[in-house]
Amino acid sequence: MAAERKIPRSLQAIIDQVKEHYADDQELQTLFEQCFLNTYLTTIQEDEQGTFVVTGDIPAMWLRDSSAQVRPYLTVVKEDADMARLIKGVIERQWRYILHDPYANAFNQTANKQGHQQDRTEMSPLVWERKYELDSLCYPIQLAYLYWKATGDDSVLQPTLKQVLETIYRIWKIEQDHEAKSSYSFERDDCRVSDTLLRKGKGGYSVPTGMTWSGFRPSDDACLYGYLIPANMFAVVVSNYAVELLTAMEEIKLAEQFRELEADIRQGIGQYGKMDHPVYGEIYVYETDGNGRVNLMDDANVPSLLAIPYLGYTTADDPVYQNTRRFILSRDNPYYYEGSYAKGVGSPHTPDHYVWHISLAIQGMTAIDSKEKKQIVAMFKQTHADTYFMHEGFDVDRPEQYTRSWFAWANSMFSEFLLSEAGIYVPGSPLENMKNNKAGDRHVLSTGKAAKPNQ
């Protein structure tokens, strides 16, 4: 655990604001305070390399988790220079990791050879795990962009950012044709099948679609088919973030390359990422190989299909999203569960009948019905198992049975949901844009025309 820290006044002010919103609910007040502070008090470590963020009970820094863990603190960085410094330290450390190995998903604090060093892939002592996940390259772009929006700090518009974006662009272009162009492979011995890639580490066969391939899901489970639709949607959104960042840096050529890549991926999603369902109408599929095979499901981890408006790919009232949402929140989704204490989306990563607090938070933040939001709040109160923290998955009939007692990503997602309920949003985020553009166009955040950062 990180060294003990004092609670900054900026975070205390947010806590007081949420407590005022839930003035008649002591349980929710305590839940929010505990969860909101969890990342700051227990997972952030500073060293000569900047800010290292452990995911909780695993002593490694995931590009995805670290981004999501600190995201709620972007609500205070305009006023709190120390918090801005910490988050900028996360961003710059992520940049170093990506430049070290853009195919890795999790890293050690130093080159200490911890983690999965026996995996058959191009491991290094700095890498904890080298599962290539498309979303692991999306999250750092999102965090850098939202930090820039929240602070107006142009110092992030630097040559290292350009190098990182060049690297990500190169990888995504290669992985548009994984079979012919990619040298990446991954194999793990003596493990469950979801922890390794088939065909000697190449993964399931796929054909070019315009989309970009992913070996693993944000759950760290192997993709059944290589084109993970919600991750490609996330890539569309952050490609436009990249365009805006690069345009501000006057890097016009690379900005134009990202525009073209974004168009390719979006077209691929439109052509291969949807189907006509006999019950729900036109819906998005979870995965496809581009060769006629699709995987109909959703997973609790973000990016997910349920999270499409949260990611910023389209608005919550989009008809195809609403159809998809009805499918996801039904028993036709093999990872949707209902029980005595909760109902929602789980994951093949955890046991049957285990719903995830992350997916409940996403359901709450993407709901357009206030009654549904209140039901989600009630489920959180019923399922923290008197720990006053969120967990990975929990049994819908016995919430005291859960996985991961120290899982900071889940605590941050719950915090962001309650913040949104209290009218507090991360500046420049899709949730804030949905609030400000309730009658706006589809793909509000996919246009590359977001507002200028705060000055």
Side-chain angles (χ1 to χ4, degrees):
M1 239 182 229
E4 186 174 347
R5 285 192 171 89
K6 292 182 179 179
I7 301 171
R9 278 184 286 183
S10 63
L11 297 188
Q12 188 60 55
I14 293 287
I15 292 167
D16 293 343
Q17 196 171 340
V18 173
K19 284 184 174 181
E20 184 178 352
H21 182 79
Y22 291 105
D24 299 325
D25 197 324
Q26 181 62 50
E27 185 176 13
L28 267 186
Q29 292 180 23
T30 303
L31 267 173
F32 176 77
E33 183 169 12
Q34 292 271 95
C35 293
F36 182 61
L37 293 174
N38 183 242
T39 284
Y40 181 76
L41 294 180
T42 72
T43 71
I44 290 178
Q45 303 171 16
E46 292 185 85
D47 59 22
E48 66 279 0
Q49 297 297 317
T51 312
F52 185 79
V53 185
V54 300
T55 186
D57 53 12
I58 304 174
M61 178 166 160
W62 264 256
L63 295 174
R64 169 187 56 255
D65 294 40
S66 60
S67 299
Q69 284 168 240
V70 302
R71 176 179 161 123
Y73 304 145
L74 290 170
T75 56
V76 304
V77 290
K78 184 65 176 175
E79 302 80 29
D80 188 332
D82 191 56
M83 187 63 68
R85 177 186 59 79
L86 281 175
I87 294 180
K88 188 178 179 184
V90 176
I91 292 166
E92 291 177 339
R93 196 175 202 119
Q94 290 177 339
W95 290 352
R96 285 193 291 273
Y97 286 152
I98 291 168
L99 293 177
H100 177 78
D101 187 349
Y103 280 104
N105 58 323
F107 295 83
N108 294 311
Q109 188 165 4
T110 62
N112 55 28
K113 297 185 179 181
Q114 292 185 2
H116 299 275
Q117 295 295 320
Q118 303 306 312
D119 291 342
R120 281 181 281 145
T121 185
E122 296 179 17
M123 289 293 290
S124 82
L126 189 61
V127 170
W128 172 276
E129 187 173 61
R130 195 171 186 261
K131 290 179 173 179
Y132 176 60
E133 300 161 356
L134 172 56
D135 70 280
S136 290
L137 295 178
C138 294
Y139 271 102
I141 299 176
Q142 181 199 61
L143 182 61
Y145 176 83
L146 292 178
Y147 169 84
W148 181 55
K149 287 293 174 184
T151 63
D153 179 6
D154 285 342
S155 69
V156 296
L157 305 176
Q158 57 177 274
T160 304
L161 174 58
K162 181 190 176 185
Q163 282 184 279
V164 169
L165 293 175
E166 284 175 331
T167 300
I168 292 172
Y169 173 80
R170 175 176 57 84
I171 296 299
W172 288 357
K173 287 296 292 182
I174 288 170
E175 297 302 338
Q176 283 183 308
D177 191 353
H178 177 71
E179 289 295 318
K181 295 181 180 179
S182 179
S183 62
Y184 173 79
S185 66
F186 181 96
E187 292 179 277
R188 179 174 293 172
D189 297 324
D190 300 322
C191 65
R192 57 181 186 169
V193 67
S194 61
D195 269 333
T196 190
L197 294 183
L198 304 176
R199 294 197 306 137
K200 297 182 179 180
K202 193 75 172 177
Y205 180 78
S206 58
V207 301
T209 62
M211 291 183 284
T212 188
W213 178 91
S214 187
F216 292 86
R217 301 167 182 167
S219 61
D220 301 332
D221 290 343
C223 291
L224 179 61
Y225 304 124
Y227 298 116
L228 181 58
I229 299 304
N232 273 273
M233 291 173 168
F234 199 9
V236 164
V237 175
V238 301
S239 289
N240 282 296
Y241 291 167
V243 168
E244 191 173 349
L245 289 163
L246 290 163
T247 301
M249 290 190 285
E250 299 184 352
E251 297 289 350
I252 305 306
K253 180 180 178 181
L254 186 56
E256 186 57 37
Q257 288 173 325
F258 265 102
R259 281 195 187 94
E260 293 172 358
L261 177 61
E262 183 270 350
D264 286 345
I265 297 172
R266 186 191 293 277
Q267 183 176 352
I269 293 170
Q271 184 172 352
Y272 299 96
K274 295 188 286 187
M275 66 165 288
D276 288 322
H277 194 281
V279 175
Y280 302 99
E282 189 177 30
I283 66 171
Y284 291 109
V285 304
Y286 187 68
E287 294 167 340
T288 182
D289 64 355
N291 201 32
R293 296 181 179 87
V294 297
N295 186 10
L296 293 182
M297 58 167 279
D298 201 23
D299 189 273
N301 291 270
V302 182
S304 62
L305 293 175
L306 189 62
I308 289 172
Y310 174 81
L311 299 173
Y313 185 78
T314 190
T315 51
D317 60 351
D318 175 82
V320 180
Y321 171 72
Q322 281 296 314
N323 292 345
T324 308
R325 185 185 182 90
R326 288 190 299 114
F327 162 76
I328 293 165
L329 299 176
S330 78
R331 292 185 178 179
D332 289 318
N333 172 13
Y335 302 105
Y336 173 82
Y337 306 110
E338 296 183 355
S340 304
Y341 290 88
K343 58 182 179 179
V345 181
S347 172
H349 196 71
T350 47
D352 286 348
H353 304 291
Y354 273 51
V355 163
W356 283 43
H357 283 126
I358 285 175
S359 63
L360 290 179
I362 287 295
Q363 185 181 345
M365 286 187 279
T366 56
I368 56 179
D369 179 7
S370 60
K371 182 179 178 182
E372 183 178 359
K373 290 178 179 287
K374 290 178 181 178
Q375 290 173 341
I376 298 295
V377 171
M379 281 191 273
F380 277 120
K381 292 172 64 176
Q382 294 174 155
T383 59
H384 63 84
D386 295 325
T387 67
Y388 288 88
F389 288 109
M390 298 301 133
H391 308 120
E392 187 183 52
F394 63 89
D395 190 311
V396 290
D397 292 310
R398 293 175 296 277
E400 68 277 7
Q401 301 292 321
Y402 56 81
T403 59
R404 302 190 68 176
S405 59
W406 183 21
F407 187 37
W409 184 14
N411 291 319
S412 291
M413 294 298 294
F414 165 75
S415 300
E416 191 172 358
F417 171 49
L418 280 202
L419 285 169
S420 69
E421 289 298 279
I424 304 169
Y425 301 91
V426 173
S429 69
L431 288 180
E432 185 187 56
N433 278 272
M434 282 191 283
K435 177 196 73 171
N436 293 334
N437 298 280
K438 287 184 178 179
D441 295 334
R442 305 277 181 247
H443 306 292
V444 170
L445 293 184
S446 302
T447 62
K449 298 179 181 178
K452 293 181 179 180
N454 293 327
Q455 299 293 337

